[in-house]
Amino acid sequence: MTTTHSPGARAEQGGAPAPPPFAIVSGAQVQRALEGREREVIAVVEAAYRLHAAGDSVNPPSSFLRFPDRPTARIIALPASLGGEVRVDGVKWISSFPANVSSGLPRASAVLILNDPVTGYPFACMESSIISASRTAASAASAADRLSRGRPRPRRIGFFGAGLIARYIHTFLTGSGWEFDETGVYDLSERSAAGFRLYLEQSGAGGGVTVHHDPEELVRYSDLVVFATVADRPHVHDASWFGHRPLVLHVSLRDLAPQVILSATNVVDDVEHCLRAGTSLHLTEQLTGGRDFVHGTLAGVMDGRVTVPEDRTAVFSPFGLGVLDLAVGKYVYDRVARSGELRVAEGFFHELSRYG
């Protein structure tokens, strides 16, 4: 069934709150809603960052479900609430099973539940691996733009890790106006590197593509370095690799050793979230006993409270806030609802009378 009902609707009788219709939004619908709208999604993400910085959000720590018999796997719950005009609550439930890659499946799968702030009832269950990748890429593209102001615009980009997140970041960068003379790729898997190279060559973005077999070579080659790996501990230890002062999007959070972090200007999305769960910044805090190495937040850069010096490597480390998933998820929901293609599960909520 299709409908354009919106959440938060109230029953006519006595003005009492009524549960909203419950909709299922598929991955195909999510992709159609987001495709080609990179600039709009970046604006949505930046607005969410501003609301979060202003205190108009609730974003508790993520909860990690880990498995003794599957040590590389995990499922993470990111509950959040976002105010402003978005005004929505919800939770993302996202799994990371790296072993999937060897069988050809993506590493991550996810759903996003959106809750009506009036009644608390969920009103949508959305495929969210695309939403999650898009909000991550939009955050990275925003940081690349904001942190590169005042320094020469990077023309050579290097991707350290060649999976789905790398592909989405490339899409959001080029979709928001970035052009590169050269693109470098490094991945532990030659197959992944070759696949990403083919994607880049077929994307029509222009510029040459080089697959590097030495990680140091990739970093030294690039003005903009994107870390998008599944590393669970630092593996890049030599700060001299960054002597040319590149802009670094440290999206995977655990690639850089403390000595690299300490040599750079560090910008995060949220200080409390980034300095936990064994991230590179968390390890640096444990090593130094303080947080002075954190320069500020991306929201601070956006509103001019934080300036990024040109004479040091700049590293953006985003933990990935649940409020961003809500913002992008609500953007998608609204677009699907306006299209008249919202699929509602009639009668999903059954016990709606307190006394039966």
Side-chain angles (χ1 to χ4, degrees):
M1 177 181 177
T2 61
T3 182
T4 56
H5 289 303
S6 61
R10 290 179 176 273
E12 293 292 330
Q13 189 174 1
F22 185 76
I24 306 294
V25 182
S26 71
Q29 290 177 302
V30 172
Q31 189 164 44
R32 286 196 298 271
L34 293 174
E35 197 166 23
R37 295 182 175 87
E38 290 82 13
R39 293 180 191 270
E40 289 182 37
V41 177
I42 291 169
V44 166
V45 164
E46 289 190 343
Y49 274 138
R50 288 191 171 98
L51 286 171
H52 181 65
D56 198 0
S57 67
V58 181
N59 204 107
S62 305
S63 295
F64 290 74
L65 176 61
R66 299 185 185 275
F67 313 96
D69 60 330
R70 292 158 284 166
T72 65
R74 63 189 182 187
I75 308 180
I76 312 171
L78 288 82
S81 175
L82 188 61
E85 295 182 0
V86 182
R87 197 162 180 251
V88 66
D89 311 324
V91 61
K92 179 173 72 173
W93 181 240
I94 182 167
S95 68
S96 175
F97 279 53
N100 286 351
V101 175
S102 63
S103 61
L105 277 177
R107 171 186 59 85
S109 59
V111 294
L112 177 68
I113 301 295
L114 300 182
N115 290 74
D116 171 28
V118 175
T119 64
Y121 274 75
F123 63 86
C125 176
M126 315 178 71
E127 197 286 331
S128 195
S129 66
I130 298 169
I131 290 171
S132 186
S134 296
R135 65 85 152 145
T136 300
S139 171
S142 172
D145 173 44
R146 300 288 181 168
L147 272 61
S148 65
R149 297 181 185 184
R151 65 171 67 201
R153 186 87 157 178
R155 301 293 304 183
R156 296 178 301 173
I157 186 171
F159 288 92
F160 202 124
L164 180 133
I165 296 299
R167 172 161 62 86
Y168 268 78
I169 290 174
H170 177 266
T171 297
F172 270 77
L173 287 170
T174 56
S176 57
W178 284 77
E179 296 179 352
F180 300 102
D181 299 328
E182 295 286 339
T183 300
V185 180
Y186 172 79
D187 196 286
L188 291 174
S189 165
E190 292 185 5
R191 180 181 178 183
S192 294
F196 190 45
R197 177 179 185 168
L198 181 61
Y199 158 76
L200 292 169
E201 290 173 342
Q202 294 179 342
S203 70
V209 180
T210 302
V211 173
H212 294 268
H213 302 286
D214 179 354
E216 178 181 356
E217 182 182 79
L218 175 90
V219 173
R220 291 187 181 275
Y221 159 94
S222 307
D223 306 317
L224 174 60
V225 185
V226 179
F227 283 93
T229 75
V230 294
D232 62 357
R233 66 193 67 184
H235 54 93
V236 176
H237 299 269
D238 192 343
S240 71
W241 291 11
F242 303 86
H244 57 304
R245 302 188 298 277
L247 173 58
V248 178
L249 303 178
H250 186 208
V251 177
S252 35
L253 284 174
R254 294 171 178 84
D255 304 273
L256 304 179
Q259 53 265 43
V260 178
I261 295 295
L262 291 171
S263 71
T265 297
N266 293 283
V267 176
V268 300
D269 56 358
D270 182 282
V271 176
E272 293 299 328
H273 283 78
C274 282
L275 274 72
R276 64 185 299 270
T279 66
S280 294
L281 282 83
H282 187 203
L283 298 179
T284 305
E285 179 189 31
Q286 292 175 331
L287 178 67
T288 64
R291 298 180 170 184
D292 292 345
F293 59 89
V294 179
H295 195 64
T297 65
L298 181 58
V301 174
M302 286 192 293
D303 68 17
R305 290 181 291 109
V306 176
T307 57
V308 180
E310 302 174 39
D311 58 350
R312 300 187 80 198
T313 297
V315 176
F316 175 59
S317 297
F319 194 82
L321 304 176
V323 292
L324 304 185
D325 296 285
L326 293 185
V328 176
K330 185 59 163 51
Y331 170 85
V332 170
Y333 176 90
D334 289 343
R335 286 193 59 84
V336 175
R338 287 195 299 270
S339 75
E341 297 180 357
L342 204 59
R343 300 187 181 103
V344 168
E346 295 290 353
F348 185 83
F349 298 111
H350 180 63
E351 281 283 1
L352 297 177
S353 174
R354 185 176 182 186
Y355 297 109

